[in-house]
């Protein structure tokens, strides 16, 4: 099992789509290169911005 753990965005870059791009690239790589067919996102219930990435 592999995992990406503890990502953090600097407040200056928040809301600019950086996490969306990072997730899209990760999903693409996972499917094409690593043969992954399912990914999950675990965040705190209070982290509404991160929940929107799912």
């Amino acid at each position: 099992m592999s995992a990406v753990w503890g990502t953090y965005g600097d407040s200056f870059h928040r809301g600019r789509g950086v996490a969306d791009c990072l997730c899209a690239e990760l999903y693409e790589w996972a499917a094409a290169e690593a043969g992954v067919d399912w990914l999950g996102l675990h965040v705190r219930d209070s982290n509404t911005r991160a929940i929107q990435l799912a």
Side-chain angles (χ1 to χ4, degrees):
M1 181 174 114
S2 297
V4 175
W5 190 268
T7 59
Y8 175 83
D10 183 83
S11 61
F12 175 79
H13 294 96
R14 289 183 192 149
R16 297 173 183 243
V18 174
D20 289 328
C21 291
L22 179 61
C23 286
E25 290 296 321
L26 177 61
Y27 297 159
E28 184 177 324
W29 173 85
E33 301 294 327
V36 173
D37 60 3
W38 183 89
L39 293 171
L41 178 65
H42 298 276
V43 299
R44 292 183 178 145
D45 292 340
S46 61
N47 192 342
T48 56
R49 293 185 90 156
I51 292 168
Q52 292 173 356
L53 293 171

